[in-house]
Amino acid sequence: MKRERVPAVIVGAGMVGLTLAIDLARQRVPVVVLEKAHEIAQGSRSICQAKRSLEIWDRLGAGEAIRDRGCTWKRGRIFHGVRELFYFDLLPQPDHKMPAFVNLQQPILEEILRRRLRDVGGEIRLGHELVSIQQRGDIASAAVHATDGEYGIDADWLISCEGVHSTVRRALNLPFAGEIFEDKFLICDVKMKAPFPAERWFWFEPTFHPGQTALLHRQADDVWRIDMQLGADVDAEAERDPARARPRLEAMLGHSDFEFEWISIYTFQCRTLQSYVHGQVIFAGDSAHQVSPFGARGGNGGVQDADNLGWKLARVVAGRASADLLQSYDSERLAAARENILQSTRTTNFMSPRTVASRILRDQTLALAAQAPFARALVNGGRLSTPAVMTASPLNTPDDDAWDTSIAPGSAAADAPLRTSRGDGYLSEMLGDRFVVLANSDAPLPPNMVVHGETVDVLQFGRDLHDSLGLVESRYDLKAGSAVLFRPDQHIVMRARRFDPAKIADSVAKALALRQYRSS
């Protein structure tokens, strides 16, 4: 059996695997993506692409194409029965490059990502199924079945992005910890012309579906997503029948002028592995953790996994950081997964109270929310995906002074408009995917610094960018003289009230998990 050797093998060509492959290929890491399917799966599946995911894809060169192809939205409405309780705005500030959410069917999104991967020299092998894996020292050896026979592939690092039914996870016999929910949900994509706005509409106990919940979303190309809670005891096969699903949707929509594009029944789990790094094998996305679809935390959480892992793995492969750096991927993303699981579990318990007392509390909260704004924060129809805040990351440098704590070390960058010599733009575009210091200083500063083998760019107010609206300074509490250090995934690792090259060098070393990071 022939064998080949590559630095990185990604198993699974879904949105998480493709995102990671693009990131690695752009950093000149030879990468092979194995996908057992011979063609791309149909059905919209994941549709709600959050602002943070859009910013990640924009850094990788695909964000604008995804944004422009999908359906942009930021407002949601909550109903109880026929009554609208309230609406919410997920991005009331207009000054961001990317919107709060874009709804785009997963197959369309993945085609954009595949084109981008080809552009940067990555390789996808459709119809190549990993059938076994062994770890030998610092090598992960996989046997792969393809239409033209079996072959072996040896990888310095193998990343499982296969989803819930991960072959790699089963081969390593790694258990999940968490909770399984028995409620079944009907999920339909229908093609129709409709006057509904591009908003997220969520119903508790609607008259058209008594005692349950329902959700309506607009997607690209006049396709609409409808989710309906069915309960735990229904026959999944029977409910999947279009003849049975159609009356439910007609009652909801008030007409029959629609066509089904996809129907499925799902249950869900809120579970995670206890560790995502196992020798030379790493887990990301649904291979590593599973949450409910309410809140769009699954796919978006997986994209953040890829974003977190890409810059670290590239530096390990290149010898610019030790494998110790990957332990921060484990700790940071495990904490993020546990937060997503917590929020998903709370959503499920609010949607489907398990005790009489819980139901009374839920119903009273809904009744109060119509009149009392404070009660609206307690209504939980899905806490929508937000960027992970890694305040406990071992890569952070603690603040040395008093700062606004809303965007502390560990936070993802908050975008803002600015002006450069090339014209108007956004901070997210200038940060790119490298270490960057943002400095509000009148003193002459170097354009870059080389510390521990990393080139750290210095973006200075007045020289490199002009904060004409004052939003960069206000959003980062970046008073005169201050500096903020970003790592390559655009998370803050350090803030200082003065530009100090030694402290920056220490912080970069710490962010690379170097064992001796204090300057002498």
Side-chain angles (χ1 to χ4, degrees):
M1 183 171 64
K2 69 174 184 177
R3 302 202 69 83
E4 58 184 294
R5 174 76 180 268
V6 293
V9 169
I10 295 172
V11 187
M15 57 195 293
V16 176
L18 291 170
T19 300
L20 179 59
I22 294 168
D23 203 357
L24 293 175
R26 288 177 71 253
Q27 298 179 83
R28 296 181 173 83
V29 176
V31 58
V32 171
V33 181
L34 304 177
E35 171 56 56
K36 68 179 180 180
H38 291 267
E39 57 186 30
I40 302 307
Q42 299 304 305
S44 66
R45 293 171 285 148
S46 170
I47 64 167
C48 296
Q49 319 307 337
K51 181 176 185 288
R52 180 62 189 147
S53 295
L54 296 166
E55 291 170 341
I56 291 166
W57 289 321
D58 197 44
R59 178 177 64 79
L60 301 179
E64 292 182 2
I66 293 170
R67 177 198 62 194
D68 296 345
R69 183 66 177 84
C71 176
T72 296
W73 67 278
K74 65 172 186 171
R75 177 173 285 192
R77 297 182 185 273
I78 302 291
F79 301 86
H80 187 203
V82 297
R83 183 182 190 183
E84 181 178 342
L85 299 182
F86 61 92
Y87 73 86
F88 55 87
D89 189 331
L90 295 169
L91 192 64
Q93 302 167 325
D95 301 305
H96 298 259
K97 181 176 182 181
M98 289 298 168
F101 274 89
V102 164
N103 283 359
L104 183 61
Q105 297 91 313
Q106 191 170 336
I108 301 174
L109 185 149
E110 288 175 356
E111 176 54 35
I112 295 172
L113 295 179
R114 286 192 297 275
R115 290 200 302 266
R116 181 59 182 153
L117 181 57
R118 288 192 291 268
D119 289 344
V120 297
E123 181 184 0
I124 304 175
R125 299 178 184 176
L126 295 178
H128 287 239
E129 181 179 5
L130 183 146
V131 293
S132 67
I133 182 171
Q134 292 183 331
Q135 295 200 70
R136 298 180 288 105
D138 58 357
I139 297 295
S141 295
V144 180
H145 176 76
T147 53
D148 58 351
E150 291 196 355
Y151 65 95
I153 188 165
D154 295 335
D156 298 329
W157 299 95
L158 187 143
I159 307 96
S160 170
C161 302
E162 310 151 88
V164 173
H165 304 293
S166 167
T167 300
V168 176
R169 190 184 64 242
R170 291 198 302 269
L172 297 186
N173 195 29
L174 298 174
F176 275 121
E179 190 171 2
I180 299 174
F181 294 89
E182 301 298 333
D183 261 9
K184 297 180 179 68
F185 291 79
L186 171 70
I187 181 170
C188 301
D189 283 350
V190 299
K191 183 92 169 181
M192 66 178 181
K193 298 287 186 180
F196 310 128
E199 298 177 342
R200 181 186 193 266
W201 287 7
F202 189 95
W203 287 266
F204 292 96
E205 300 180 322
T207 54
F208 57 78
H209 192 46
Q212 304 288 3
T213 63
L215 176 68
L216 176 70
H217 260 301
R218 185 173 189 164
Q219 304 176 64
D221 303 334
D222 291 320
V223 176
W224 295 77
R225 162 66 57 82
I226 296 170
D227 284 61
M228 304 184 91
Q229 183 182 11
L230 300 178
D233 300 325
V234 300
D235 183 331
E237 285 302 317
E239 295 293 345
R240 194 178 284 113
D241 184 349
R244 190 176 183 92
R246 179 170 281 277
R248 295 188 186 278
L249 272 63
E250 290 176 348
M252 177 183 188
L253 300 171
H255 64 82
S256 59
D257 189 15
F258 60 84
E259 297 297 330
F260 286 108
E261 291 219 335
W262 183 52
I263 303 176
S264 185
I265 301 291
Y266 69 86
T267 58
F268 58 85
Q269 305 167 1
C270 291
R271 307 191 299 173
T272 181
L273 295 177
Q274 297 303 294
S275 176
Y276 300 157
V277 179
H278 295 263
Q280 307 306 116
V281 177
I282 304 172
F283 293 86
D286 286 350
S287 292
H289 44 72
Q290 302 164 16
V291 295
S292 81
F294 295 101
R297 292 175 176 269
N300 289 297
V303 171
Q304 291 185 59
D305 288 348
D307 182 51
N308 188 294
L309 180 58
W311 71 274
K312 298 173 181 177
L313 190 58
R315 281 159 176 76
V316 172
V317 170
R320 291 157 55 194
S322 76
D324 292 343
L325 180 59
L326 300 178
Q327 295 306 312
S328 68
Y329 166 77
D330 197 78
S331 61
E332 290 175 350
R333 294 312 302 163
L334 185 57
R338 286 172 173 159
E339 172 63 21
N340 285 334
I341 288 170
L342 174 65
Q343 295 298 340
S344 290
T345 302
R346 286 174 174 172
T347 295
T348 304
N349 290 337
F350 192 86
M351 288 170 51
S352 303
R354 302 184 185 187
T355 65
V356 172
S358 296
R359 180 167 290 278
I360 292 172
L361 178 61
R362 196 279 303 271
D363 292 346
Q364 290 301 312
T365 300
L366 292 173
L368 189 59
Q371 291 86 25
F374 80 87
R376 296 169 187 172
L378 304 176
V379 175
N380 194 337
R383 305 288 190 223
L384 287 154
S385 176
T386 55
V389 180
M390 301 173 294
T391 53
S393 170
L395 308 187
N396 294 342
T397 297
D399 288 336
D400 63 353
D401 208 330
W403 287 75
D404 178 354
T405 58
S406 63
I407 187 165
S411 301
D415 206 6
L418 48 78
R419 175 163 292 183
T420 71
S421 59
R422 298 189 298 273
D424 293 337
Y426 288 89
L427 179 62
S428 60
E429 298 170 320
M430 294 200 70
L431 293 178
D433 52 7
R434 63 211 190 280
F435 282 96
V436 173
V437 175
L438 186 62
N440 184 9
S441 175
D442 293 329
L445 300 178
N448 56 62
M449 305 165 52
V450 179
V451 293
H452 306 289
E454 289 282 340
T455 298
V456 181
D457 288 341
V458 178
L459 301 179
Q460 186 174 5
F461 282 32
R463 182 189 69 193
D464 304 302
L465 58 88
H466 300 276
D467 186 20
S468 54
L469 299 179
L471 292 175
V472 178
E473 180 176 347
S474 64
R475 288 177 183 171
Y476 288 91
D477 190 20
L478 202 63
K479 296 180 174 64
S482 302
V484 176
L485 174 66
F486 298 85
R487 65 193 210 183
D489 58 0
Q490 299 189 359
H491 280 258
I492 296 171
V493 291
M494 183 271 290
R495 305 186 291 183
R497 285 302 181 194
R498 68 183 183 88
F499 185 92
D500 182 342
K503 183 169 185 177
I504 292 169
D506 290 346
S507 295
V508 170
K510 188 172 185 180
L512 290 171
L514 300 181
R515 294 182 179 181
Q516 300 296 327
Y517 63 84
R518 294 302 302 172
S519 61
S520 57

